[in-house]
Amino acid sequence: MIECRDLRKLYQMGNVGVRALDGIDLTIDKGEFVGIKGPSGSGKSTLLHMLGLLDIPTSGDITLDGIDVKTLNDYQKTMFRLYKLGYVFQDYALVPELTVAENVSLPAMLRSGRTEEEFQAATEDILERVGLSDRRDHLQKELSGGEQQRVAIARAIVNRPDILFADEPCANLDTENSTMVLNLFDEINHDMHQTIVMVSHEDWHKKYFHRIIRLRDGKIVEK
Ligand SMILES: Nc1ncnc2c1ncn2[C@@H]1O[C@H](COP(=O)(O)OP(=O)(O)O)[C@@H](O)[C@H]1O
Ligand SMILES: [Mg+2]
């Protein structure tokens, strides 16, 4: 499902090169719920960005769903992201002027070949699943942090992506809301057979993960 071979990312800052990823070999199977851990600066976000096709590695190979992503042009990558991948970030990244339902509808609308009724139905269905049907007409500023993150998760899964990437989705949440988010991930992992790759540095999250991949200095030290 996800495979990478000798993945490297070098950031050049003037004369200084930072090896953010220094030869990563990894296979993640369909339906796995994987945690990525490691100290700050160890390359977790960089790895997620490369696997999620949000940035381009310096060298190495990434295969998603049997497709060598190097063979995709920009348009094909955009379509791949829209149809097959979902993202959740620590700062929610909602559109503040749009309601909850409109935020969640956005990726559903962008998919071609769907009638308005179909994407509305998909939106209502997902809002129900994340327990926010009664908040559908609210704006971001009227929601708690936990609710905002559930909207972001609804938006990330409305197109039923094959892979969900989450970069420290609980970093700004208290324990109760973090538990709600993790339980939601656990549910969609079970019910939708959703592959989830989640960066976390909270130790207590580990009971949710099927497996932990640990990074240090851009290298895998445990997988
Ligand atoms: N856009 C960038 N430009 C330059 N250096 C970067 C950039 N993004 C990340 N880095 C560097 O790459 C290393 C890994 O960063 P990151 O993947 O964000 O780590 P983590 O998510 O584990 O905290 C760090 O040394 C960081 O400073
Ligand atoms: Mg990070």
Side-chain angles (χ1 to χ4, degrees):
M1 153 93 341
I2 302 176
E3 239 185 288
C4 68
R5 291 292 160 250
D6 200 24
L7 196 64
R8 293 169 191 273
K9 180 70 175 178
L10 181 75
Y11 289 113
Q12 197 67 40
M13 306 281 281
N15 293 331
V16 187
V18 176
R19 284 180 216 275
L21 295 178
D22 196 9
I24 301 282
D25 291 301
L26 191 59
T27 303
I28 297 173
D29 290 330
K30 181 164 173 49
E32 270 198 283
F33 183 1
V34 171
I36 299 182
K37 295 179 65 82
S40 180
S42 58
K44 304 181 296 295
S45 295
T46 304
L47 178 60
L48 215 68
H49 289 158
M50 301 301 143
L51 298 180
L53 310 188
L54 298 171
D55 199 354
I56 299 167
T58 306
S59 65
D61 294 308
I62 299 173
T63 310
L64 298 180
D65 227 357
I67 295 169
D68 175 356
V69 303
K70 264 193 206 140
T71 65
L72 302 176
N73 63 30
D74 282 351
Y75 176 77
Q76 289 169 321
K77 263 191 205 165
T78 303
M79 290 302 122
F80 198 94
R81 284 194 297 260
L82 181 62
Y83 284 75
K84 292 189 177 270
L85 309 178
Y87 310 91
V88 178
F89 303 101
Q90 76 178 63
D91 61 0
Y92 324 129
L94 302 178
V95 183
E97 295 83 4
L98 300 183
T99 65
V100 164
E102 288 166 345
N103 265 285
V104 175
S105 290
L106 276 180
M109 281 164 72
L110 290 170
R111 269 185 90 142
S112 59
R114 268 192 181 164
T115 64
E116 179 163 353
E117 271 150 32
E118 281 167 338
F119 76 68
Q120 298 287 10
T123 299
E124 299 310 325
D125 191 45
I126 293 295
L127 283 177
E128 177 89 46
R129 170 169 280 278
V130 302
L132 286 175
S133 295
D134 60 336
R135 290 274 196 261
R136 64 182 310 293
D137 298 318
H138 287 243
L139 294 172
Q140 177 174 18
K141 64 177 184 222
E142 299 166 331
L143 304 174
S144 71
E147 288 169 335
Q148 291 178 53
Q149 194 54 299
R150 281 188 282 146
V151 177
I153 293 167
R155 181 184 56 187
I157 63 174
V158 70
N159 283 342
R160 304 200 170 246
D162 292 337
I163 309 167
L164 180 65
F165 293 102
D167 195 352
E168 304 202 29
C170 302
N172 295 320
L173 301 178
D174 59 21
T175 308
E176 189 186 340
N177 280 297
S178 298
T179 303
M180 212 180 276
V181 163
L182 286 158
N183 285 338
L184 192 56
F185 280 177
D186 189 51
E187 271 173 48
I188 59 180
N189 170 256
H190 269 107
D191 304 350
M192 296 163 65
H193 208 54
Q194 177 85 64
T195 306
I196 304 178
V197 184
M198 172 174 158
V199 174
S200 149
H201 60 219
E202 292 279 349
D203 244 4
W204 66 272
H205 292 171
K206 68 177 179 227
K207 65 171 184 265
Y208 288 88
F209 302 140
H210 302 172
R211 177 156 72 102
I212 290 172
I213 293 162
R214 202 176 295 276
L215 296 182
R216 189 176 304 138
D217 300 330
K219 295 188 173 74
I220 290 181
V221 292
E222 177 191 333
K223 67 182 172 184

